[in-house]
Amino acid sequence: MTTSAQRDEQFMRVALKEAQKAFGRTSPNPAVGAVLVLGNRIVGKGHHREAGHEHAEIECLRNFTGTVPADAALYVTLEPCSTIGRTGPCTNALIKAGVKEVVVGALDVNPRHQGRGIAQLRAAGIKVREGILAEECARLNEAFNKWVVSRRPFVIAKCGMSLDGRLTRRPGERRWITDTAARGDAHRLRACVDAIIVGAETVRADNPRLTVRGVRARRQPWRVILTRSGRLPLRAHLFSDRFARRTLVYNRKSLAVVLKDLGKKNVTSVLIEGGGDVLGQALDARLIDKIQLYLGPILTGGPVIAFAGVGAGDTIKAMKLDRISYRRIGQNVCVTAWPKLNRAE
């Protein structure tokens, strides 16, 4: 027999699937999904498609024709907003539509909204349950959650590396370390971020495009170059292709300063793709929020080390990882993990 808790989780998972439909396309807004449930049937679905468009709750209600029945419940992955932004407050719309029950996944960490939406709904006599699959709902918007509180983007360190920790083969050899399947997966990751960061040496050595290819994307991410000398090849793809206006250059700026400035530009997430020097800076300064490493089945002994920073003084001070997962992609292994929070071991 299905319990009420199991029922809530069942419908919240459907709402999460709705939210995931627009993942990577809603920045600087969070990805949100909603479903309207009558009895044990889903009678309406909706998700936030992109900034400026209707929020998930409003689209869900619009997809349900007629008056909302008194015994219907709206499931939404994120606390409904209570203030005017690009669109009106969702709380007002829910009250006006006659919704009598709302089930919420995660609280909105935005200081302008946090807890206020739920308070407004309850004040209007609407029954509210919160915290259903809260961790999963919050994790979906980990980049937004960091940015909206700190105004710093969520940082993903990504690279394709050999099993001996190298980003390159021997000098002059241009072949890839990872295969087509892994590179396709990396393009899907690119499609979900607002900006990609590389160092000047990567631009000079590889002439990368840093575009999303083979994946449908709302727009191309910003391409960000860090340089100490300012000497960059003007004919590089990043300055000459059709996305040249989405290339930013930071000269003699620390990575921390660059991230702060990008946050001011509403960049909620960045992907550091290399080279080893920039990845090392991020590691040494503890600026990494997530890693995604693609391990190719090869030992290269190449000259460029993946995280070529100063390094930890001893093992105790090394960055330890949590929530580690391993996926086989073609002949490669993709390692995804998050740094452990600073706490006693």
Side-chain angles (χ1 to χ4, degrees):
M1 184 176 179
T2 303
T3 65
S4 58
Q6 290 172 328
R7 181 176 181 273
D8 281 347
E9 290 188 4
Q10 173 190 342
F11 291 125
M12 191 60 73
R13 291 196 188 283
V14 179
L16 271 168
K17 288 182 179 179
E18 279 293 306
Q20 289 163 352
K21 290 179 179 179
F23 181 69
R25 298 198 296 274
T26 61
S27 181
N29 287 355
V32 185
V35 295
L36 187 66
V37 176
L38 184 58
N40 285 314
R41 291 188 306 116
I42 294 174
V43 294
K45 295 180 181 180
H47 63 275
H48 182 45
R49 297 178 182 273
E50 62 179 289
H53 285 227
E54 292 175 336
H55 288 188
E57 304 95 312
I58 309 306
E59 182 176 279
C60 179
L61 292 175
R62 182 163 292 180
N63 289 334
F64 176 74
T65 55
T67 304
V68 176
D71 54 346
L74 182 83
Y75 287 75
V76 61
T77 56
L78 184 67
E79 175 185 2
C81 67
S82 56
T83 59
I84 297 175
R86 294 181 180 90
T87 60
C90 290
T91 50
N92 290 359
L94 295 178
I95 294 168
K96 184 177 179 181
V99 176
K100 300 300 182 186
E101 184 176 354
V102 175
V103 184
V104 175
L107 286 180
D108 193 341
V109 299
N110 187 339
R112 297 177 60 211
H113 300 159
Q114 190 174 36
R116 296 180 185 179
I118 289 176
Q120 285 186 11
L121 295 177
R122 284 176 172 155
I126 296 175
K127 180 182 178 182
V128 181
R129 293 196 302 285
E130 58 187 278
I132 308 303
L133 299 182
E135 186 175 339
E136 292 180 45
C137 291
R139 191 176 302 166
L140 178 70
N141 289 306
E142 59 187 355
F144 169 82
N145 289 344
K146 178 187 177 183
W147 173 79
V148 80
V149 172
S150 69
R151 293 295 160 174
R152 303 288 195 280
F154 187 85
V155 177
I156 305 170
K158 169 262 174 184
C159 64
M161 59 189 282
S162 62
L163 291 178
D164 54 344
R166 310 301 171 121
L167 297 182
T168 61
R169 296 173 183 252
R170 66 183 182 185
E173 191 170 1
R174 310 283 291 182
R175 287 183 295 171
W176 297 97
I177 287 176
T178 56
D179 63 21
T180 303
R183 297 198 299 276
D185 191 76
H187 276 285
R188 287 188 285 276
L189 179 60
R190 280 183 180 178
C192 295
V193 300
D194 294 335
I196 301 168
I197 298 178
V198 295
E201 187 56 36
T202 296
V203 178
R204 288 190 285 263
D206 299 337
N207 192 19
R209 296 182 185 274
L210 304 184
T211 53
V212 178
R213 301 186 292 279
V215 182
R216 183 182 176 185
R218 176 169 67 96
R219 43 138 180 79
Q220 292 294 335
W222 289 101
R223 287 98 58 94
V224 179
I225 306 170
L226 307 188
T227 176
R228 294 190 183 95
S229 68
R231 295 192 297 271
L232 295 167
L234 297 181
R235 293 185 180 181
H237 294 309
L238 299 182
F239 301 119
S240 59
D241 67 11
R242 62 195 179 99
F243 302 112
R245 62 183 180 81
R246 292 190 65 79
T247 298
L248 300 173
V249 177
Y250 288 90
N251 190 6
R252 297 181 182 178
K253 302 292 184 184
S254 71
L255 182 56
V257 168
V258 170
L259 292 172
K260 182 178 180 180
D261 188 66
L262 291 174
K264 292 178 181 178
K265 291 178 167 60
N266 287 346
V267 170
T268 66
S269 57
V270 302
L271 189 63
I272 299 179
E273 290 211 7
D277 179 60
V278 180
L279 288 166
Q281 288 181 49
L283 176 60
D284 289 340
R286 292 298 192 263
L287 296 173
I288 297 171
D289 297 301
K290 180 179 180 180
I291 67 161
Q292 189 144 323
L293 309 180
Y294 297 88
L295 305 180
I298 188 173
L299 301 170
T300 74
V304 180
I305 300 171
F307 289 82
V310 175
D314 54 57
T315 304
I316 294 176
K317 296 177 181 177
M319 178 182 286
K320 297 176 178 61
L321 302 175
D322 201 3
R323 291 158 45 198
I324 306 168
S325 67
Y326 306 89
R327 285 184 294 143
R328 181 168 175 172
I329 304 175
Q331 293 299 308
N332 314 273
V333 174
C334 177
V335 182
T336 304
W338 288 257
K340 279 187 177 181
L341 297 176
N342 292 326
R343 57 176 181 263
E345 294 295 324

